[in-house]
Amino acid sequence: MLHRHSLGRNGLLAGLLLLTLSSGAPAEEGLAGEIKAAIGRPEYKGARWGILVVDVATGTPVYELNADQLFAPASVTKVYSCAAALVALGADHAFETPVYRRGRLAKGKLAGDLVLVAQGDLTLGGRTGPAGKMAFKDHDHIYATATGTETALTDTDPLAGLKSLARQVKAAGVLSVGGDVLIDDRLFERSRGSGSGPDVVTPIVVNDNVIDVTVSPAAKAGARATSQLRPQTDFVQIDVQVETVAKGERLFVSTERVGPQRYVVRGQVPVGAAPVVRICAVDDPAGFARALFIDALRREGVAVKASGLRPPTAELPESASYARLTRVATFKSPPLAEALKVTLKVSHNLYASTLPLLLGVKSGKRTMREGMRLQGKVLADLGVDVRGISLESGAGGGNGDRVSPRVTVQLLRALTKRADFAVFKAALPVLGVDGTLAKAVGKSSPALGKVVGKTGTYGDHDLLNGRLHLRAKALAGTMTTAKGKELAYCIFVNDVRGGSSVREGKALGQLCEIVQQHAP
């Protein structure tokens, strides 16, 4: 199964119009005719479309097609999970990750343990820039291995949170730790997310719980390519053997998991090629964070007897006992609005999968099932007809994820009436500008910057024919038309045989252009 979100680069609105004019069939006039021509192309024979466009203020339909049918929404599912998190937790919600000491501290020597208590911080400072904003790239690193698309890493320190905690521990007078270093990840039950990228959902996240492997070609063919790992740790073993080949030869770099925290990276990169990023997800996020925290403490000059390569020997404290322990460090995250921005802009599966569990924590619950039920209650209180849809995941791609254009637009309109809608809108990709919509239209598009929306792509392998079966391509959001009217829209296409994330991504961008230009 693939769950991809990169958008296409080929085709323009003019191409669709030319196809209509050259078909020999009489063309319908107006918005309906333009849309009919776009979705009636031969490649969509057998596919199913669902479209709804309404006036934001009045709810009056501008265009609709199969608006009440259920569709696989792919990552448009994230509109639901992010909206519920924004409403329930608030845009300014921050995560505070504490470290406690257990045992007697005398003359800098701790005769006991340090315990980092994970609180669900999605980034632990790893994406935060100097201004306190979270950074992202349009092609996020979590998709590097699954899609093979060009990926650039953010210019931030993935260990920023752990380093801050280590500095505070030392400032609190702890110069050596005679006991263990522990990660308490009991905030909620470990779960599995959906979609590409890391999928182990736990309360502790460092660098999205992956190691980034950046491979760069040597100057001459035949030489070994260079590689760099981020972050550096002995907890994960990665054997990289990639050859440099002549310019113009095929580029491929594969990763193979050969055991827990054990990977083999092989392939070839041509001379002159840009650096290639691949990711190696960890199976044990708590152990990963523990090893990295021990390294951070030692770099700060705190002597630690425990080894990050050996399982912890001490037991975690009783949860109720933290009130009696001494807190020696706290890391506070940027506001939730920043995390939602990254989640929606790059379609981050791990973050979106975690959001229902964080809703559950607020109400004293610990499981994905309980979190999803609470998400449903939040959405119902917004006026969303949750009984008319089905969701089993926060990220999309679940077999039970089915929604209609009608209910999706209903949610979008409900959000526009809230004071925090500006936060939600600012988190959505902008057509032709950023995130997963950056390449959906050309820079000369009349709709450039006038449309925001959440994308979604979900495909399966058609092994019989050696192609992709595009189960879902989706887009939902709001736009300002050429006439200045505010619209809410949702577009789904399901079951495109031999479909392409690139081609259908561009097709949805073109539909946005049509609506933006021709809506009355």
Side-chain angles (χ1 to χ4, degrees), residues 162 206-211 231 233 235-236 282 284-293:
L162 294 178
V206 180
N207 196 43
D208 297 335
N209 292 334
V210 304
I211 296 287
T233 175
F235 185 76
V236 181
V282 300
D284 179 8
F288 182 52
R290 176 174 175 267
L292 292 169
F293 189 34

Side-chain angles (χ1 to χ4, degrees), residues 30 54 56 70 91 162 230 239 270 296 335 364 391 401 406 447 451 456 485 517:
V54 307
V56 163
L70 294 176
L162 294 178
R230 191 180 89 158
D239 177 23
L391 288 176
D401 293 336
R406 183 87 63 197
V451 181
K485 183 175 290 187
Q517 287 292 293

Side-chain angles (χ1 to χ4, degrees), residues 95 97 120-130 132-135 154-165 167 204-208 230 331-334 339 351:
F95 301 94
T97 304
D121 190 332
L122 297 174
T123 65
L124 206 60
R127 289 182 182 262
T128 307
K133 302 291 185 181
M134 285 190 188
T154 59
D155 187 22
T156 54
D157 183 356
L159 302 180
L162 294 178
K163 289 179 178 179
S164 173
L165 290 169
R167 288 193 295 269
I204 186 71
V205 181
V206 180
N207 196 43
D208 297 335
R230 191 180 89 158
F331 182 80
K332 185 176 181 179
S333 74
Y351 299 170

